[in-house]
Amino acid sequence: MWTIIMILMISLLIALFEVPYLRRNAMNKEMLVFFILLVVGTGLSIAESLEANIPNPLDWITFVYKPFSDFILGTVE
């Protein structure tokens, strides 16, 4: 519980630090991307702190290229 609160507090501090600069310079698109990435990062951090099973991007790459690798190396059974 405390880890989730700390993650949210750190995310809030990051937003409080970055948003005034983005607003002052009228960077609306950048602010949208910033908030999307901040929410995704915060969500993944909370999921990691709850020990959720988060798939690794390398698993998807292996899944896609494994048949091709097996064909090239001739290890298809």
Side-chain angles (χ1 to χ4, degrees), residues 2 10 18 21 26-27 35 38 40 52 57 59 61 64 69-70:
W2 286 106
I10 291 170
E18 291 293 328
Y21 173 77
M27 299 178 158
F35 278 120
L38 184 64
V40 169
D59 295 339
I61 294 171
V64 169
S69 172
D70 289 345

Side-chain angles (χ1 to χ4, degrees), residues 38-55:
L38 184 64
V39 167
V40 169
T42 302
L44 286 174
S45 297
I46 290 172
E48 184 71 28
S49 72
L50 294 174
E51 299 179 7
N53 186 13
I54 301 171

Side-chain angles (χ1 to χ4, degrees), residues 9-73:
M9 293 298 290
I10 291 170
S11 296
L12 180 66
L13 285 173
I14 291 170
L16 289 174
F17 182 75
E18 291 293 328
V19 169
Y21 173 77
L22 294 171
R23 227 181 233 174
R24 186 171 46 246
N25 293 323
M27 299 178 158
N28 295 327
K29 292 178 185 176
E30 289 85 354
M31 195 171 356
L32 177 66
V33 172
F34 169 76
F35 278 120
I36 290 171
L37 291 175
L38 184 64
V39 167
V40 169
T42 302
L44 286 174
S45 297
I46 290 172
E48 184 71 28
S49 72
L50 294 174
E51 299 179 7
N53 186 13
I54 301 171
N56 186 348
L58 189 58
D59 295 339
W60 292 97
I61 294 171
T62 304
F63 176 76
V64 169
Y65 286 109
K66 180 73 172 144
F68 183 70
S69 172
D70 289 345
F71 176 74
I72 295 294
L73 297 175

